[in-house]
Amino acid sequence: MDELPSYAETLNERQREAVLHGKAPLLILAGAGSGKTRVVTTRITYLIDRLSFTPDQILAVTFTNKAAREMQERVDRFLEERGRDAGSAVMIKTFHSFCSWFLRRNAAAAGLSPYFGIYDDDDALALIKTVVPGHLPAGEVRTLQNAISRAKDDNLTPDDDLGGISAHPEFPEVFRRYEEKLAASGNVDFGGLIQKTLMVLHREPAITSRLRQKFQVVLVDEYQDCNGAQSLLLEALYGPQTWLAVVGDDDQSIYRFRGADVSHILNFPQKFPGTVIVRLEQNYRSTGAILEVASQVVARNQGRLGKTLWTANPVGRKPRLVFHNDQDDEAAWAVDLIKRAPLTETAILYRTNAQSRAFESALVRAKLPYRLVGTVRFYEREEIKDVLAWLRLLTNSRDEVSFQRIVNKPARGLGKSALSIVERHRTSDWLDACGLALGELKGKAKAGLGQFLDLYAQLNGALMNCRNLSVLVQQVIEDSGLGEHHRQNEDLGEAKEQNLDELVNAAAPYPGTIEGLTQFLENVELDAAGTLDEQPGVTTLITMHNTKGLEFDRVLVTGLEDGLFPRDTFDPQEIEEERRLFYVAVTRARQELLFSTCRSRLQHGKYQDRAPSRFLAEIDPDSLEVVGAGGRGTEIWAVGQRVFHDDFGVGTVVKKWYNGSELGLDVRFDSGRMGRFMPAYTPLEKVAADE
């Protein structure tokens, strides 16, 4: 038997099994904090170091650019330590980035130019607005945009049965016209990147064969987040000689609203016969007490392959459940906790973005620093998107969204009537259409369109002659008038100018060529992963969905009330997804975990009574410390007391019990029905014994 590689000696038994596994399809069920990234990177090293695969035969796919960068850095470091410098030849990309790479190299087969642009959600919405009936309100337009995105997640086209996506009567026709306009623009949206890749692989067996020959090892991270199209792509990449491994956690599948489907990881062994399942259950992040609570709740789910997290870490303090009167009390408690025990990392988690307001206000009043995760990202800001539109038009003059965004910004006297004349002349290229329209325009409109064409020619010439892309970006900002336009903003001019300066900095590493510009735009458009500033002592405010992949010393899981978390729903699959979200939130904590719930919460301008989240009732009372359970409902209740409930009628208290210091009652109603209540949250009325 070969000697065990030194880099595998420090792995635990299950990690080592995953790293040294052979050719059969491999499903690594990696629990939270179980070291899955280390397993993936060590397996890549092992395949190169001991099994003689070359780095360029390996494809690793992740879901965020941040994860791809981290994995690339680890692989490079591993191989450099062993005297190899070819780690960067391992292709580690997101699904979308991989498909962009593939389509640029097979552009003709896909019916594209190799310099195609990628439309983000805002661009797609702008294009949809050009094809929807004018009477539709903005909310319905966004609904149709989401439906198109979901259809593409399932690899559906306008010719397929779309009834399961949307019942909107306009949807099939809007989808069809959107696809036609998108094709005419020569660009691709995010869903189209995967769809077009699948189209080429299904139509061109020779290309598929070459791709499988090139990538004989395929690894997929976060497989539980796959949608239908991504799952089909993996099947297309898999051939008789493929060494396939996927890593994921069915208990952390929380992106159903984005098209993710937990069934893909649950059914992986059926799709790929002979699959070996390795469970990574040792957690290196959290205390034993935290993991106990997480496991108790997620174990209630039916749709899971099953695993039990454990840790060699200390048991630690029990998680605390804290009751508050309302959200303002909840925010004040959080601030007081941070003041009294200022750990380096504290995160306040909530189900919806709207819940951040009370915490933000309280932290500002207390003059405590915080960062709010989920604000507008840099590349989504107005001034940045304006400049990017110019850059994209320079690479693709068929780009309708970019053309419409900047042709009259700053204002050049081009109103709707002038632009309608341009559109009438358009066959495919917007610059050609502008040239043809000049002869029909007069006055300011003609002068403005002429200036636009001159500016395009000037900037296009600059692209052909600049050494560094940052020079071109700076010229676009100034010559287009966008820099001055945004500097004149009374409230945000300085901030917008700083953002434009930063865009120039971002372009500096790229050469001033069409290829350099295309690569820059691709990186901008695909980089959807936000990053957190590493600032000690700064409290993080973040939704539970955004915490995926993060960890903190102390975590406050707030707003644990039925109707808020979990949301009101009768769909068993949605309840299971909400329960997985609870599991994700809990397992972000390293040392200290606190839950909070409010007796009432301000909604739509009125305070409404709330009941504690059902997930709290799924935790063994002995696993929690309960704090602040006094207040409403603390009067004396005796066994034998007659009570009245609005829904169940008259009954008798037959048992008293406590969840920590919180009183609970078992009631047998005269109808024969039994009920269990916490008087602090359920309106039970005492009645006389003879009633």
Side-chain angles (χ1 to χ4, degrees), residues 27 223 261-272 275 305:
L27 170 57
Y223 186 65
D261 188 344
V262 70
S263 69
H264 295 305
I265 190 169
L266 298 179
N267 297 328
F268 184 86
Q270 287 71 49
K271 288 184 180 178
F272 300 96
T275 291
L305 294 169

Side-chain angles (χ1 to χ4, degrees), residues 662-684:
E662 188 75 15
L663 172 68
L665 303 174
D666 287 352
V667 178
R668 178 181 289 115
F669 292 96
D670 293 353
S671 65
R673 182 169 183 171
M674 288 292 298
R676 173 164 279 200
F677 308 96
M678 299 178 80
Y681 302 98
T682 305
L684 285 176

Side-chain angles (χ1 to χ4, degrees), residues 287-536:
T287 65
I290 291 171
L291 295 183
E292 183 178 20
V293 166
S295 295
Q296 288 173 3
V297 174
V298 79
R300 304 267 182 153
N301 276 358
Q302 299 298 311
R304 64 193 297 258
L305 294 169
K307 62 185 173 304
T308 302
L309 293 185
W310 64 277
T311 185
N313 294 339
V315 173
R317 184 174 181 176
K318 290 181 181 179
R320 280 165 280 170
L321 169 59
V322 185
F323 289 85
H324 306 285
N325 288 325
D326 57 31
Q327 72 268 18
D328 291 329
D329 283 351
E330 183 180 49
W333 158 78
V335 167
D336 183 62
L337 184 71
I338 294 166
K339 280 182 173 180
R340 289 188 290 107
L343 294 179
T344 300
E345 290 181 303
T346 298
I348 299 175
L349 278 55
Y350 36 80
R351 179 66 179 80
T352 66
N353 277 308
Q355 291 168 254
S356 73
R357 183 203 58 79
F359 297 110
E360 288 187 73
S361 298
L363 288 165
V364 168
R365 287 194 300 269
K367 298 182 179 179
L368 291 174
Y370 71 93
R371 60 172 171 260
L372 179 65
V373 178
T375 54
V376 176
R377 296 189 179 103
F378 179 80
Y379 289 114
E380 295 173 357
R381 295 168 185 169
E382 178 195 11
E383 62 276 15
I384 301 302
K385 289 185 73 70
D386 287 345
V387 177
L388 293 177
W390 258 112
L391 296 174
R392 285 180 6 184
L393 197 65
L394 290 173
T395 66
N396 177 13
S397 56
R398 297 160 58 197
D399 187 335
E400 177 173 359
V401 171
S402 296
F403 174 79
Q404 297 285 3
R405 185 180 185 100
I406 47 89
V407 65
N408 196 41
K409 189 174 186 179
R412 297 185 176 86
L414 296 169
K416 287 185 177 180
S417 59
L419 291 177
S420 68
I421 293 173
V422 174
E423 183 145 7
R424 193 172 70 243
H425 284 285
R426 185 213 175 192
T427 53
S428 63
D429 190 293
W430 284 99
L431 277 299
D432 291 346
C434 288
L436 293 171
L438 269 179
E440 297 184 35
L441 297 178
K442 297 179 181 179
K444 288 184 179 180
K446 183 171 186 176
L449 191 59
Q451 290 169 4
F452 175 77
L453 288 172
D454 290 344
L455 178 59
Y456 183 91
Q458 176 182 326
L459 294 175
N460 194 50
L463 174 60
M464 300 299 107
N465 295 287
C466 70
R467 298 184 308 276
N468 185 274
L469 193 61
S470 62
V471 176
L472 175 68
V473 174
Q474 184 68 58
Q475 187 170 346
V476 168
I477 292 170
E478 298 306 328
D479 291 1
S480 69
L482 289 171
E484 183 61 26
H485 172 76
H486 288 296
R487 281 192 287 270
Q488 290 177 357
N489 186 301
E490 291 184 6
D491 297 321
L492 300 173
E494 184 177 355
K496 288 177 176 287
E497 184 174 17
Q498 291 172 350
N499 289 337
L500 291 171
D501 287 343
E502 186 57 34
L503 182 64
V504 174
N505 295 338
Y510 298 85
T513 62
I514 186 67
E515 291 78 15
L517 177 55
T518 301
Q519 186 62 54
F520 172 67
L521 290 172
E522 177 176 322
N523 290 344
V524 165
E525 291 151 353
L526 292 176
D527 192 1
T531 57
L532 296 181
D533 296 330
E534 300 295 332
Q535 300 177 38

Side-chain angles (χ1 to χ4, degrees), residues 60-80:
V61 183
T62 70
F63 276 81
T64 69
N65 284 309
K66 179 174 180 287
R69 286 192 296 268
E70 290 177 353
M71 192 179 295
Q72 187 74 67
E73 289 168 2
R74 290 198 191 191
V75 170
D76 289 350
R77 189 165 59 248
F78 256 121
L79 293 173
E80 285 171 6

